[in-house]
Amino acid sequence: MARVCDLTGKRVQVGNRVSHANNKTKRKFFPNLQKKRFYIPEEDAWVTLKVSTSALRNITKNGISAVLKKAKADGYIVY
């Protein structure tokens, strides 16, 4: 399973680990993903999503329906 947020599309980023001597080696920055169940009242169903913590904050602020609608419009969800 890919480390990608289902709602925002956040994924692993690549960068450099820089030592004190300024040596550079490749490293990965992983998104903070959590597996979470959400209840969607319009569909009367529970959905399990892998979401980033920033997406969880958006869901708390705007509601799951609005966030799902925006994710579908942005092309992250196809159903």
Side-chain angles (χ1 to χ4, degrees), residues 29-63:
F29 294 93
F30 296 105
N32 188 1
L33 296 179
Q34 308 294 324
K35 206 171 196 182
K36 190 94 169 109
R37 286 178 74 217
F38 298 101
Y39 179 73
I40 304 172
E42 290 83 17
E43 298 178 12
D44 192 34
W46 287 90
V47 180
T48 302
L49 297 173
K50 192 168 28 167
V51 294
S52 62
T53 51
S54 62
L56 274 176
R57 288 170 54 106
N58 284 335
I59 291 169
T60 303
K61 181 178 179 181
N62 302 323

Side-chain angles (χ1 to χ4, degrees), residues 3 12 16 26 32 47 49 54 72 74-75:
R3 291 182 174 145
V12 176
N16 287 317
K26 285 293 184 183
N32 188 1
V47 180
L49 297 173
S54 62
K72 187 176 180 183
D74 292 343

